Amino acid sequence: MSELSTKGADFAEFWRERHLCTLTTVRPDGTPHVVPVGVTLDVVEGIARVITDGDSAKARQLRSAGKVHAAVCQVDGRRWSTLEGVARLREEPEAIADAVRRYAERYRQPRVNPNRVLVEIAVSRVLGNVR
């Protein structure tokens, strides 16, 4: 069980509501790479998931680096939350299918993409103002 489980019902609900998020990774030269994404959060396991195309910049960066520090953030007025941790690229069909299912529950069924991969972030820090 992750520490996210102790953040309460408002926190969990905020990460179930439909909000556009951002994913920030750090390029090899130290500059930030920030892109809009949809994020799902498993508060029990402490895992944030982002599905993306395997040829995207974020996927290429993770593929070459193995693991990078990353943050996902969402804002709704005064409520906001940022989740930080180490991200890794997952390309196993079962993991991607699970992430697609979770994405469809929070947002909508994504288009078919045989080149889809999964960015998985092991959340180690939580920031924000959710009440």
Side-chain angles (χ1 to χ4, degrees), residues 58-129:
K58 57 190 156 295
R60 290 192 316 270
Q61 179 187 20
L62 282 166
R63 194 174 287 114
S64 67
K67 293 181 181 179
V68 298
H69 289 278
V72 289
C73 181
Q74 67 179 15
V75 177
D76 180 38
R78 297 178 62 104
R79 297 183 312 153
W80 66 276
S81 180
T82 298
L83 310 174
E84 299 176 358
V86 174
R88 67 182 179 131
L89 191 68
R90 303 278 309 265
E91 300 188 72
E92 309 90 327
E94 309 80 33
I96 295 167
D98 178 58
V100 166
R101 178 189 59 77
R102 292 169 187 268
Y103 180 94
E105 288 175 4
R106 184 172 189 201
Y107 297 100
R108 61 173 172 73
Q109 186 64 39
R111 64 178 171 75
V112 173
N113 181 355
N115 197 39
R116 181 171 285 130
V117 294
L118 166 62
V119 176
E120 190 175 83
I121 302 166
V123 178
S124 58
R125 181 181 292 162
V126 178
L127 306 166
N129 181 30

Side-chain angles (χ1 to χ4, degrees), residues 15-86:
W15 278 99
R16 281 191 297 269
E17 295 169 4
R18 190 179 195 279
H19 296 290
L20 183 62
C21 303
T22 59
L23 168 68
T24 304
T25 56
V26 180
R27 295 181 184 101
D29 68 1
T31 60
H33 177 251
V34 184
V35 293
V37 294
V39 177
T40 61
L41 177 63
D42 183 329
V43 295
V44 174
E45 296 298 321
I47 301 292
R49 293 175 176 87
V50 175
I51 56 174
T52 189
D53 188 83
D55 292 330
S56 67
K58 57 190 156 295
R60 290 192 316 270
Q61 179 187 20
L62 282 166
R63 194 174 287 114
S64 67
K67 293 181 181 179
V68 298
H69 289 278
V72 289
C73 181
Q74 67 179 15
V75 177
D76 180 38
R78 297 178 62 104
R79 297 183 312 153
W80 66 276
S81 180
T82 298
L83 310 174
E84 299 176 358
V86 174

